[in-house]
Amino acid sequence: KSFAEAMQRLERKDWRRATDTEMDQHEANGTFELVELPAGRTALDGKWVFKIKRGADNKIVKYKARYV
């Protein structure tokens, strides 16, 4: 449900790899950039969405993380 929860699970290395991949893609596509906020401004909130992709045999194929 949350980044903190994902990092407390046994699969935390898989979730961390998924979040790193997502942020790398944002950087490569130019859709995300960390900048300092101008004085008197507030940032928009974002959140992580986590999903486990499964194959036809119901085995885990991929850990997927999206930052929205």
Side-chain angles (χ1 to χ4, degrees), residues 2-48:
S2 70
F3 181 82
E5 182 183 335
M7 294 303 118
Q8 292 174 0
R9 300 194 48 93
L10 293 175
E11 308 91 3
R12 68 181 145 269
K13 288 182 182 178
D14 297 312
W15 288 122
R16 175 53 102 176
R17 192 174 312 114
T19 58
D20 289 346
T21 300
E22 173 72 357
M23 292 310 293
D24 289 346
Q25 287 299 312
H26 277 295
E27 186 176 320
N29 293 329
T31 57
F32 184 88
E33 182 182 352
L34 272 180
V35 296
E36 288 199 32
L37 287 174
R41 301 291 181 162
T42 56
L44 296 173
D45 288 334
K47 76 175 206 171
W48 284 100

Side-chain angles (χ1 to χ4, degrees), residues 49-60:
V49 177
F50 297 98
K51 184 170 182 157
I52 295 176
K53 299 283 190 166
R54 297 185 180 269
D57 58 358
N58 206 31
K59 288 186 181 180
I60 295 174

